[in-house]
Amino acid sequence: AVIAHVVASGAGFVVDLDESFKENRKDDIWLVDFYAPWCGHCKKLEPVWNEVGMEMKNMGSPVKVGKMDATSFSSIASEFGVRGYPTIKLLKGDLAYNYRGPRTKDDIIEFANRVAGPLIRPLPSQHMFEHVQKRHRVLFVYVGGESPLKEKYIEVASELIVYTYFFSASEDVLPEYVTLPELPAVMVFKDGTYFVYDEYEDGDLSSWINKERFQGYLNVDGFTLYELGDTGKLVAIAVIDDKNSSVEHTRLKSIIQEVARDYRDHFHRDFQFGHMDGNDYINSLLMDDLTVPTIVVLNTSNQQYFLPDRHIENTEDMVQFINNILDGTAEAQGGDGLLQRIKRIIYDAKSTIMSVFKSSPLLGCFLFGLPLGVISIMCYGICTADTDGGVEEHEAAKKETCDRELTDEGSEEEQEEEKNGKYTELSDGELKQKDIMEKKKD
């Protein structure tokens, strides 16, 4: 009852938006859930969204939380680029930022606070720097004065603020262990250390930040794997059971962690490392049943994947496996070719049918049994109609043939009359002679 009361009270902090929202929104920052009343995922998000509204109000955030029925106000939803439900967007001035992370209260609030704030946050002191470093696992820092690099940094921040934080600081604010080859510079702090952007080795700043916004080693789930697809990196995953503390599960996880830490300089531009709990998601992705624990390397750009051709015993085996992938000697499976697309359609259809029957057998029988029954009746009717029609045509053809024969040869009576007529024309002697000849023949 208490939980229900809290959720119900949270709904009071979420504004139901209508067509007037389009004209009145620009003076405020809005976090909006575009939903459809019939959408199951939208209904699941609703209590979380009410909690978000209440939490944002209690913390004094300038962000207003609202929701809009995208089916009733389809023109406004379409103008904001809504193509699925639910869609979460933060609207700030003329800009609209999409949220693509986990649909939890804390993750949504963190996204809203990050995007609603300034693009570049200043770090005026070492104390502030240390405080920010403790709060964020990954943070980017620009060091230096006005420059073309800073302009590019601001431009990239406006695009990637939905993913990570961007800061600026003077050189004397940085920790003592940091040394910079030159100024201005862009740095990323993560994994207990830092890395400096090098235009000649790392290429475009936006691409580098997009790749470096993840820690070197991750707990990978569906959302994370989706976001990793934007980096263009191969993803090396130890598929394990987190609840299983056996030697094999912990060993494979440790091997991946060691490669991510000790071989960063060799592989960080091409590989992302992590582990995944359970094989359900990975099985649906690969359309295969992987045995847990195991190691798989995914190419998210073309849906290919690599499996080791022998058992991974230690770090050296894993490094060799990665090198084989890089030099093209490892066999790639899957892909996005025509046969794989057909296989995907069949697999998805089979999975959908199985999930429906598993969750609700009666619904499954209705959804799939009824159409099959109707089709069967139609096929039976068509086959029956063809058979009857064939018999009728056969009888009609037979009758027509008989009529034609009667027409050509005449009836039996006509033939008899014709015969008698011929006999009348003959003389009596001729008749007697003909009768004798017929008797002889008999």
Side-chain angles (χ1 to χ4, degrees):
V2 173
I3 295 174
H5 173 73
V6 171
V7 172
S9 62
F13 299 105
V14 177
V15 183
D16 279 308
L17 304 174
D18 54 25
E19 64 274 356
S20 63
F21 172 69
K22 180 179 177 181
E23 300 297 329
N24 302 329
R25 73 171 185 84
K26 291 189 177 181
D27 294 333
D28 298 297
I29 302 174
W30 282 92
L31 182 66
V32 183
D33 167 29
F34 293 90
Y35 70 96
W38 44 261
C39 170
H41 294 291
C42 300
K43 294 177 181 178
K44 187 176 180 180
L45 176 64
E46 184 176 3
V48 176
W49 198 249
N50 292 335
E51 292 179 13
V52 170
M54 183 170 61
E55 185 77 14
M56 297 291 283
K57 185 69 175 179
N58 291 339
M59 68 173 56
S61 172
V63 179
K64 294 184 176 181
V65 181
K67 62 179 180 178
M68 175 177 285
D69 183 351
T71 60
S72 298
F73 306 102
S74 57
S75 60
I76 299 178
S78 177
E79 186 174 332
F80 286 119
V82 176
R83 295 182 177 84
Y85 311 114
T87 294
I88 299 174
K89 288 178 176 285
L90 188 134
L91 307 176
K92 183 180 178 182
D94 294 327
L95 301 175
Y97 297 91
N98 289 327
Y99 176 71
R100 300 193 301 179
R103 291 170 185 149
T104 64
K105 182 193 73 172
D106 292 338
D107 287 307
I108 294 172
I109 290 175
E110 198 272 341
F111 161 81
N113 289 333
R114 181 174 66 248
V115 179
L119 285 178
I120 312 298
R121 302 167 189 251
L123 297 174
S125 64
Q126 289 187 351
H127 177 73
M128 180 61 72
F129 188 96
E130 293 172 0
H131 173 72
V132 168
Q133 197 170 14
K134 290 177 181 178
R135 288 189 59 191
H136 304 296
R137 297 176 179 176
V138 179
L139 63 143
F140 292 89
V141 181
Y142 173 83
V143 182
E146 298 297 326
S147 67
L149 181 61
K150 183 176 182 179
E151 295 177 2
K152 182 64 176 178
Y153 183 72
I154 296 173
E155 179 184 339
V156 173
S158 64
E159 176 188 355
L160 301 181
I161 189 66
V162 293
Y163 300 120
T164 189
Y165 286 90
F166 294 88
F167 298 90
S168 64
S170 59
E171 190 174 8
D172 58 350
V173 169
L174 301 178
E176 295 180 358
Y177 62 83
V178 175
T179 57
L180 294 175
E182 61 180 0
L183 292 177
V186 176
M187 315 164 61
V188 58
F189 290 82
K190 64 177 184 178
D191 302 329
T193 184
Y194 70 97
F195 306 97
V196 182
Y197 166 69
D198 187 325
E199 182 179 0
Y200 298 102
E201 292 188 5
D202 299 316
D204 181 65
L205 178 63
S206 177
S207 176
W208 179 78
I209 291 178
N210 195 37
K211 291 181 178 181
E212 294 291 342
R213 62 187 174 92
F214 297 98
Q215 292 177 279
Y217 183 88
L218 297 170
N219 184 353
V220 181
D221 57 14
F223 283 107
T224 308
L225 198 58
Y226 178 76
E227 289 190 5
L228 287 171
D230 296 335
T231 66
K233 289 185 177 183
L234 299 172
V235 187
I237 302 174
V239 184
I240 62 173
D241 183 356
D242 274 338
K243 297 178 181 178
N244 192 323
S245 58
S246 65
V247 175
E248 185 66 11
H249 287 257
T250 56
R251 186 179 63 82
L252 287 182
K253 183 178 178 180
S254 298
I255 289 174
I256 295 290
Q257 288 175 327
E258 289 175 12
V259 173
R261 181 186 65 245
D262 299 338
Y263 291 85
R264 173 189 157 81
D265 293 340
H266 296 83
F267 301 134
H268 82 279
R269 287 186 175 86
D270 302 302
F271 279 85
Q272 175 67 51
F273 299 93
H275 78 272
M276 179 174 285
D277 182 19
N279 62 349
D280 291 339
Y281 183 83
I282 206 75
N283 285 347
S284 64
L285 190 67
L286 306 184
M287 297 180 289
D288 196 1
D289 293 326
L290 294 185
T291 303
V292 177
T294 189
I295 288 177
V296 60
V297 176
L298 304 175
N299 187 339
T300 55
S301 63
N302 61 7
Q303 301 179 18
Q304 286 185 341
Y305 64 96
F306 303 85
L307 296 174
D309 55 359
R310 58 193 177 93
H311 192 64
I312 301 295
E313 295 287 349
N314 48 46
T315 304
E316 288 71 23
D317 290 343
M318 187 64 200
V319 171
Q320 182 61 47
F321 176 45
I322 293 175
N323 285 326
N324 290 341
I325 295 174
L326 291 175
D327 61 27
T329 58
E331 180 183 2
Q333 303 182 46
D336 54 1
L338 179 60
L339 292 178
Q340 286 296 317
R341 293 178 185 178
I342 296 173
K343 183 179 178 182
R344 169 60 64 185
I345 293 173
I346 297 173
Y347 180 86
D348 289 343
K350 180 181 176 182
S351 300
T352 302
I353 294 173
M354 293 298 292
S355 63
V356 170
F357 273 101
K358 186 179 293 184
S359 60
S360 178
L362 291 178
L363 179 62
C365 292
F366 177 78
L367 290 177
F368 300 103
L370 182 62
L372 290 175
V374 172
I375 293 172
S376 300
I377 293 172
M378 292 175 62
C379 292
Y380 176 77
I382 293 172
C383 295
T384 305
D386 287 342
T387 302
D388 294 342
V391 172
E392 292 175 359
E393 291 176 1
H394 178 71
E395 294 293 337
K398 184 176 180 181
K399 183 177 180 181
E400 184 181 352
T401 302
C402 293
D403 292 342
R404 188 180 298 111
E405 290 177 353
L406 291 175
T407 302
D408 293 340
E409 298 180 4
S411 63
E412 293 179 358
E413 294 178 355
E414 291 174 348
Q415 291 179 10
E416 187 66 26
E417 291 177 359
E418 184 179 353
K419 184 177 180 181
N420 293 337
K422 289 182 180 180
Y423 287 160
T424 306
E425 293 176 359
L426 298 175
S427 62
D428 292 341
E430 290 174 344
L431 289 173
K432 290 180 179 179
Q433 187 176 357
K434 190 171 182 179
D435 288 339
I436 293 169
M437 294 296 294
E438 288 180 354
K439 288 179 180 179
K440 286 182 179 181
K441 288 180 180 179
D442 292 340

